[in-house]
C-alpha cells in the first residue's frame, strides 16, 4: 500500500491506459441522449474489438435509429506514437466504403456528449499529469490526477480523473473547457469483472454547461471468444450483421 | 393497370409477411415515406415536382444465404403511380467468396457525385442529377462474385442484358437542350440492344483496403450509356433548305480500364480516380466527312481532397475529360473541366444538418449550386429545405438556367 502512494500522476494514468482489455470483445452498446427538457433519443450499436498486438481494430454496426441502420464504422488504432488511426465508414445509401480522416476527434459521436476522443484511449504521453490527492468516492479509494494537454489547441484545458486504486478504472472524470470552466463530468455507474478483466458496463457523461446527458450502457459482453481477423474488413462493413 | 400494380405490390408484401412469420427473427423491415415538393423560381412559379414516395427495404438472412427486396412507389398527382423494384437479389456467403445474384445497385470508385468508374448501374436522370444518389442509381440484373484474400477483393460482374440510363421525358424541363435547325423526328428502332449472350457486359475489379492506401483497379467491356445519335436529313429540292430531320439513337460498345485510390495525409483525405475509355463515338459538325461521328478514345479522371475546418467537413474535386487525338470537327471540347465543392456541418447535436454542394463547369462558366438544410424533429422524422440554382447560359448546368427551384422534403423513416 505504501508503494502505491508513491506512484506519480503519469504512472497512474499509464496503469489505466495499460489495463488488460482481453484479446477481443463484442457487445451491444446503447446510448441514451437526454436533453435539458428530459427528452430522450436512443442510439444502438453492435461493436467488435480485437487486439492485434501493436494495433487494435474495432468495427461498429449501427442498428438504430432507422435512418442510420446498416451504417458501419471501422477504426484501426496503433500503439506507435504519432501514428493516426485509420477510419472508414460504410454508408448503405451510397453503397460505398469511404476512408475518413481521424482528425475530427473533437466531433461528437452520434450527437452524444462523448467526442470521438473521449471514447478512444488517449495516450498518456499527450498530457502532463499531476497527482493531486487521494480520495474515496462511492466507497472506492481513488487517486485524483490532473492531466494538462501538451497541445494548447486541444479541446480541453485540463481533465481531472478519479482512478480506483486496485482496479485502475477511471471512476469519475471532469473535463474543463478552454476558459478553465467545468464543461462535462463522466461518471462510471457500473463495472464488472468478466474472465478476470474489468469492463465498464454503464457510464454517464453530463454536460453541465448545456444541461445535456448521455448514458452509455454495454450489454451482452463476450470476451476472448476468438473473433476472426476477417471481421475487420471491407467485406464485413458492407455485409453488416448478416 | 393501377389495380394490377397494387395487386403485384400486395403479393410481394403478403409473400414477405409469410416468410416473416416463419423467420420473424431474421427479417428486417426498414424504409421511409416522403413528400417532395419543388417550385420553380421563374415560369410563374410552376411546380417542378410534387412527388409522394414509399420506399421499403426488406431483408431476410439465414446462415449463409440472404435476400433483399427494395420495392418503391413514386406517386405524382394526376398520374398513374410509378412502381418498381430498385433491388431484388439473393446473397450466398461462402468462406472466401460471396455471390450476389439478381437486380442490384453496384457502385465503384472514390468520386462523389461524378461517374468515372462508377458506370455499372444505369442512372435515372429523369430529374437531371437532382435526385438522391441512391435514387439516381438504378438496379441492374447481374451476377456478382467477390473473392476475398487478406484485405483485398477480386470482383467479377456479369450483366446478361444491357440496361440503359433513363433520360428525362422529351417534354420534361430536364430534357437536355439539343441544337437542331428544325424539330427532329426520333426513330428508336435501333435503340434497343438485343438480349443475347454476345451483347452482355462484363466488369472486373481488384481492390484493397490497407492502412496506407485504399485502391481499385478495374476493367470493363460494356455498352455506351449515351447513344450515338445518327441523323438523316432531307432537303427541299427547290429551296435546298432542310425540311426533314430524323434522329436514330444507337448504343455502341465501349472498352474501359481504370482505377482509383484514397489515402490520408496529415488530416486530409486525398482521392483520385481515372478511366481510359476506348471506342467512343463523338458527334461532329462536319458536312464533308463520310460519317458525322468520329471514333476516339478518351480519358476521364478526378483528383479530390477532403478536410475539416472549424468542424465543417469540406470536399473539393477537379474533374477532367480529355479526348485523345482530338480533331476540330468534334463538337465536344477537347478538354472538359469541372470542379465540385461540398461543405457539410452538423449542429444542435446532429439534429440540424447544413450542406452546400456545387458543380462548377469551367469551360462554359456555368454551375449548379445546391444549398440545403435538414432538421430532425425526431430521430425518425425529418424536414428538408433546399434550393437548386443554375448559373450560366449554356453547358451542362447553364442549359437549365430557367429551372432554378426551391423544394421541401418531409420524410418519415422506419
Amino acid at each position: 500500500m505504501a508503494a502505491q502512494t508513491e506512484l506519480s500522476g503519469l504512472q497512474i494514468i499509464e496503469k489505466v491506459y495499460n489495463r488488460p482489455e482481453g484479446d477481443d470483445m463484442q457487445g451491444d452498446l446503447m446510448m441514451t441522449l437526454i436533453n435539458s427538457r428530459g427528452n430522450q433519443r436512443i442510439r444502438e450499436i453492435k461493436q467488435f474489438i480485437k487486439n492485434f498486438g501493436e494495433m487494435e481494430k474495432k468495427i461498429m454496426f449501427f442498428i438504430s435509429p432507422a435512418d442510420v441502420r446498416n451504417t458501419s464504422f471501422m477504426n484501426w488504432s496503433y500503439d506507435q506514437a504519432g501514428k493516426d488511426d485509420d477510419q472508414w465508414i460504410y454508408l448503405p445509401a451510397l453503397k460505398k466504403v469511404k476512408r475518413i480522416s481521424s482528425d475530427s476527434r473533437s466531433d461528437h459521436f452520434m450527437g452524444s456528449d462523448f467526442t470521438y476522443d473521449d471514447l478512444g484511449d488517449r495516450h498518456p504521453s499527450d498530457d502532463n499529469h499531476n497527482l493531486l490527492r487521494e480520495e474515496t468516492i462511492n466507497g472506492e479509494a481513488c487517486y485524483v490526477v490532473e492531466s494538462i494537454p501538451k497541445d494548447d489547441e486541444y479541446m480541453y484545458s485540463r481533465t481531472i480523473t478519479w482512478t480506483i486504486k486496485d482496479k485502475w478504472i477511471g471512476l469519475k472524470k471532469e473535463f474543463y473547457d478552454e476558459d478553465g470552466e467545468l464543461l462535462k463530468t463522466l461518471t462510471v455507474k457500473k463495472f464488472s469483472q468478466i474472465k478476470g478483466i474489468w469492463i465498464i458496463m454503464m457510464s454517464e457523461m453530463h454536460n453541465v454547461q448545456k444541461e445535456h446527458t448521455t448514458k452509455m450502457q454495454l450489454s451482452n459482453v463476450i470476451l476472448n471468444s476468438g473473433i476472426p481477423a476477417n471481421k475487420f474488413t471491407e467485406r464485413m462493413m458492407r455485409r453488416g450483421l448478416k | 393497370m393501377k389495380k394490377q400494380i397494387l395487386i403485384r405490390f400486395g403479393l410481394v408484401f403478403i409473400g414477405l409477411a409469410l416468410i416473416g412469420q416463419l423467420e420473424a427473427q431474421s427479417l428486417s423491415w426498414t424504409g421511409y415515406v416522403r413528400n417532395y415538393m419543388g417550385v420553380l423560381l421563374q415560369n410563374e412559379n410552376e411546380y417542378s415536382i410534387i412527388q409522394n414516395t414509399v420506399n421499403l427495404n426488406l431483408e431476410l438472412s439465414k446462415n449463409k444465404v440472404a435476400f433483399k427486396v427494395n420495392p418503391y412507389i413514386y406517386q405524382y398527382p394526376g398520374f398513374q403511380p410509378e412502381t418498381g423494384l430498385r433491388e431484388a437479389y439473393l446473397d450466398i456467403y461462402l468462406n472466401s467468396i460471396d455471390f450476389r445474384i439478381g437486380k442490384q445497385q453496384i457502385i465503384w470508385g472514390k468520386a462523389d457525385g461524378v461517374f468515372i468508374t462508377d458506370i455499372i448501374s444505369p442512372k435515372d436522370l429523369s430529374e437531371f442529377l437532382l435526385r438522391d444518389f441512391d435514387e439516381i442509381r438504378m438496379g441492374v440484373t447481374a451476377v456478382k462474385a467477390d473473392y476475398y484474400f487478406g484485405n483485398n477483393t477480386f470482383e467479377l460482374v456479369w450483366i446478361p442484358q444491357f440496361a440503359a440510363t433513363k433520360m428525362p421525358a422529351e417534354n420534361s424541363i430536364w430534357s437536355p437542350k439539343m441544337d437542331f435547325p428544325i424539330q427532329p423526328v426520333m426513330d428508336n428502332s435501333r435503340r434497343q440492344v438485343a438480349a443475347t449472350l454476345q451483347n452482355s457486359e462484363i466488369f472486373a475489379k481488384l481492390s484493397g483496403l490497407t492502412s496506407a492506401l485504399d485502391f481499385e483497379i478495374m476493367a470493363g467491356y460494356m455498352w455506351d450509356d449515351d447513344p450515338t445519335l445518327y441523323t438523316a436529313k432531307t432537303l427541299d429540292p427547290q429551296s435546298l433548305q432542310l425540311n426533314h430531320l430524323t434522329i436514330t439513337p444507337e448504343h455502341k460498345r465501349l472498352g474501359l480500364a481504370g482505377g482509383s485510390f484514397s489515402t490520408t495525409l496529415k488530416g486530409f483525405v486525398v482521392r483520385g480516380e481515372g478511366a481510359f475509355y476506348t471506342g467512343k463515338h463523338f458527334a461532329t459538325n462536319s458536312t464533308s466527312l463520310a460519317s458525322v461521328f468520329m471514333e476516339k478514345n478518351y480519358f476521364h479522371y478526378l483528383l479530390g481532397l477532403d478536410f475539416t475546418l472549424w468542424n465543417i467537413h469540406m470536399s473539393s474535386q477537379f474533374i477532367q475529360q480529355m479526348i485523345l487525338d482530338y480533331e476540330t470537327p468534334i463538337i465536344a471540347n477537347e478538354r472538359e473541366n469541372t470542379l465540385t465543392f461540398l461543405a457539410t456541418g452538423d449542429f444542435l447535436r446532429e439534429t440540424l444538418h447544413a450542406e452546400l454542394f456545387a458543380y462548377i463547369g469551367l469551360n462554359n462558366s456555368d454551375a449548379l449550386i445546391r444549398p440545403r438544410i435538414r432538421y430532425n424533429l425526431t430521430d425518425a422524422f425529418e424536414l428538408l429545405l433546399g434550393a437548386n440554382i443554375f448559373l450560366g447560359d449554356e453547358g451542362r448546368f447553364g442549359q437549365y438556367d430557367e429551372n432554378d427551384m426551391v423544394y421541401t422534403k418531409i420524410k418519415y423513416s422506419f
Side-chain angles (χ1 to χ4, degrees):
Chain A
M1 203 61 188
Q4 281 192 354
T5 56
E6 290 168 9
L7 290 172
S8 69
L10 174 62
Q11 287 170 318
I12 293 162
I13 296 300
E14 279 178 339
K15 281 188 177 290
V16 176
Y17 183 78
N18 293 320
R19 190 180 77 236
E21 291 176 325
D23 294 332
D24 63 55
M25 190 267 271
Q26 60 179 290
D28 300 332
L29 195 63
M30 186 169 84
M31 287 198 303
T32 308
L33 284 55
I34 308 164
N35 69 12
S36 56
R37 295 187 298 278
N39 297 332
Q40 295 190 1
R41 292 189 292 151
I42 308 279
R43 274 97 184 82
E44 289 175 293
I45 294 161
K46 177 92 181 168
Q47 65 174 10
F48 299 82
I49 303 169
K50 188 177 179 74
N51 193 334
F52 287 81
E54 292 186 343
M55 73 188 295
E56 183 188 85
K57 294 183 179 180
K58 178 195 280 192
I59 191 163
M60 293 174 141
F61 300 99
F62 296 79
I63 295 164
S64 74
D67 62 341
V68 298
R69 188 176 170 86
N70 293 331
T71 299
S72 58
F73 171 80
M74 185 163 70
N75 188 90
W76 296 357
S77 60
Y78 304 90
D79 286 349
Q80 185 186 333
K83 183 165 171 57
D84 291 334
D85 292 2
D86 293 309
Q87 295 181 340
W88 297 267
I89 189 161
Y90 172 68
L91 302 165
L94 297 179
K95 291 190 163 52
K96 261 187 185 180
V97 172
K98 275 181 77 97
R99 179 183 282 263
I100 55 174
S101 168
S102 60
D103 214 28
S104 311
R105 301 193 67 87
S106 60
D107 282 3
H108 289 263
F109 180 69
M110 296 186 84
S112 72
D113 292 281
F114 292 88
T115 65
Y116 282 85
D117 208 49
D118 297 339
L119 293 170
D121 287 336
R122 184 169 169 82
H123 200 278
S125 65
D126 290 338
D127 303 310
N128 291 313
H129 307 278
N130 305 307
L131 175 60
L132 298 180
R133 60 185 182 274
E134 295 177 24
E135 201 172 291
T136 298
I137 56 171
N138 299 338
E140 300 279 0
C142 296
Y143 293 114
V144 186
V145 177
E146 179 188 58
S147 303
I148 297 172
K150 292 175 182 173
D151 177 7
D152 292 339
E153 301 296 314
Y154 189 56
M155 60 183 152
Y156 306 122
S157 59
R158 66 183 176 126
T159 59
I160 298 176
T161 309
W162 280 255
T163 300
I164 302 174
K165 282 185 175 180
D166 54 346
K167 301 183 180 79
W168 308 112
I169 289 173
L171 189 62
K172 181 182 166 189
K173 189 169 183 176
E174 291 178 344
F175 301 80
Y176 291 81
D177 67 14
E178 290 162 338
D179 298 324
E181 301 292 327
L182 179 62
L183 176 65
K184 300 189 293 191
T185 304
L186 173 69
T187 313
V188 170
K189 299 285 186 184
K190 184 184 172 189
F191 48 89
S192 302
Q193 203 168 29
I194 303 172
K195 293 186 178 175
I197 292 165
W198 287 107
I199 301 289
I200 296 170
M201 302 298 290
M202 201 186 297
S203 60
E204 188 176 298
M205 182 74 95
H206 178 58
N207 186 318
V208 297
Q209 294 183 6
K210 294 187 174 167
E211 280 302 313
H212 197 282
T213 302
T214 301
K215 291 181 177 176
M216 192 174 277
Q217 192 170 351
L218 195 60
S219 59
N220 300 321
V221 176
I222 303 172
L223 275 175
N224 297 340
S225 62
I227 299 171
N230 72 2
K231 189 80 189 172
F232 306 89
T233 56
E234 181 180 359
R235 179 190 194 184
M236 292 302 166
M237 290 187 79
R238 290 177 181 275
R239 183 166 154 182
L241 290 168
K242 289 195 280 280
Chain B
M1 181 68 183
K2 200 171 179 177
K3 212 178 253 179
Q4 280 182 346
I5 290 165
L6 290 171
I7 289 168
R8 249 182 269 165
F9 231 80
L11 287 172
V12 170
F13 270 97
I14 292 164
L16 288 162
L18 287 172
I19 295 165
Q21 286 290 314
L22 298 171
E23 304 285 348
Q25 287 184 331
S26 52
L27 180 73
S28 106
W29 297 66
T30 58
Y32 63 82
V33 289
R34 183 187 65 196
N35 172 266
Y36 171 23
M37 291 181 70
V39 63
L40 296 175
L41 298 179
Q42 294 102 331
N43 295 329
E44 298 179 342
N45 301 124
E46 280 180 30
Y47 292 110
S48 60
I49 190 163
I50 300 177
Q51 182 195 66
N52 299 301
T53 306
V54 179
N55 186 83
L56 287 173
N57 286 301
L58 304 147
E59 296 177 75
L60 180 70
S61 64
K62 192 174 183 186
N63 301 325
K64 292 181 182 293
V65 179
F67 77 74
K68 176 182 173 180
V69 182
N70 176 193
Y72 65 87
I73 305 173
Y74 290 128
Q75 191 271 328
Y76 303 92
F79 293 91
Q80 292 281 356
E82 178 190 330
T83 65
L85 294 176
R86 188 165 286 114
E87 293 190 294
Y89 60 74
L90 182 74
D91 277 330
I92 302 165
Y93 306 121
L94 305 178
N95 282 345
S96 304
I97 301 179
D98 293 343
F99 291 97
R100 179 165 289 177
I101 301 158
K103 193 173 185 185
Q104 53 191 296
Q105 293 172 312
I106 301 172
I107 317 296
W108 284 5
K110 307 290 182 194
D112 288 335
V114 185
F115 305 93
I116 296 176
T117 63
D118 180 14
I119 34 69
I120 300 180
S121 286
K123 298 178 280 293
D124 183 347
L125 299 180
S126 48
E127 207 191 341
F128 187 48
L129 290 169
L130 304 184
R131 290 192 171 183
D132 291 340
F133 275 100
D134 57 330
E135 292 175 86
I136 282 185
R137 291 192 181 90
M138 293 156 55
V140 61
T141 299
V143 177
K144 181 164 77 77
D146 288 276
Y147 172 66
Y148 303 97
F149 53 107
N151 290 315
N152 304 302
T153 308
F154 179 72
E155 185 168 295
L156 203 58
V157 178
W158 174 56
I159 298 177
Q161 186 178 359
F162 169 66
T165 281
K166 184 178 175 185
M167 297 302 291
E170 277 179 48
N171 57 354
S172 162
I173 60 171
W174 305 110
S175 183
K177 282 182 186 156
M178 289 194 237
D179 284 332
F180 294 114
I182 61 169
Q183 183 65 33
V185 174
M186 298 300 288
D187 171 9
N188 287 314
S189 60
R190 283 150 62 189
R191 191 161 198 147
Q192 287 293 321
V193 174
T196 64
L197 183 63
Q198 288 79 2
N199 283 342
S200 58
E201 296 180 298
I202 193 149
F203 301 88
K205 180 180 76 169
L206 173 68
S207 63
L209 187 149
T210 68
S211 175
L213 185 81
D214 304 345
F215 70 90
E216 293 178 343
I217 301 165
M218 55 84 71
Y221 184 56
M222 60 187 197
W223 290 95
D224 189 353
D225 244 356
D226 300 323
T228 302
L229 302 177
Y230 287 96
T231 55
K233 300 171 186 172
T234 309
L235 300 181
D236 183 283
Q238 287 181 342
S239 66
L240 297 179
Q241 294 288 308
L242 185 66
N243 69 356
H244 192 80
L245 181 63
T246 304
I247 307 287
T248 309
E250 186 178 333
H251 291 281
K252 296 285 185 183
R253 277 287 193 184
L254 278 184
L256 164 70
S260 65
F261 74 91
S262 172
T263 188
T264 44
L265 200 66
K266 294 190 181 300
F268 293 89
V269 175
V270 182
R271 294 180 284 117
E273 185 171 335
F276 177 72
Y277 294 79
T278 63
K280 174 80 175 176
H281 286 64
F282 288 96
T284 69
N285 54 16
S286 171
T287 51
S288 59
L289 293 169
S291 164
V292 291
F293 294 96
M294 283 186 168
E295 189 176 327
K296 297 288 178 188
N297 302 330
Y298 73 100
F299 189 54
H300 198 186
Y301 73 93
L302 160 153
L303 283 172
L305 198 64
D306 306 337
F307 55 100
T308 303
L309 202 60
W310 304 301
N311 288 330
I312 304 293
H313 301 290
M314 295 197 224
S315 174
S316 190
Q317 301 178 124
F318 171 75
I319 305 112
Q320 184 174 74
Q321 180 178 299
M322 184 167 53
I323 302 171
L324 304 176
D325 189 24
Y326 186 79
E327 293 179 60
T328 43
I330 294 173
I331 296 168
N333 291 314
E334 182 177 8
R335 290 184 174 84
E336 188 76 36
N337 300 325
T338 309
L339 283 176
T340 69
F341 176 75
L342 170 69
T344 63
D346 289 302
F347 309 94
L348 305 176
R349 296 187 178 275
E350 297 188 0
T351 54
L352 183 69
H353 175 85
E355 181 179 310
L356 176 70
F357 183 71
Y359 289 102
I360 302 159
L362 299 180
N363 290 62
N364 296 295
S365 301
D366 60 336
L368 165 58
I369 316 286
R370 307 193 67 191
R372 58 184 191 173
I373 291 176
R374 189 182 69 224
Y375 181 66
N376 283 79
L377 278 169
T378 68
D379 279 336
F381 189 39
E382 69 176 48
L383 304 173
L384 189 147
L385 175 65
N388 297 310
I389 309 296
F390 293 89
L391 304 176
D393 300 317
E394 56 180 353
R396 197 174 180 209
F397 311 107
Q399 65 178 317
Y400 300 119
D401 191 33
E402 300 290 307
N403 293 0
D404 293 347
M405 60 184 278
V406 291
Y407 63 93
T408 58
K409 289 183 180 178
I410 301 170
K411 183 175 172 184
Y412 181 79
S413 301
F414 52 89

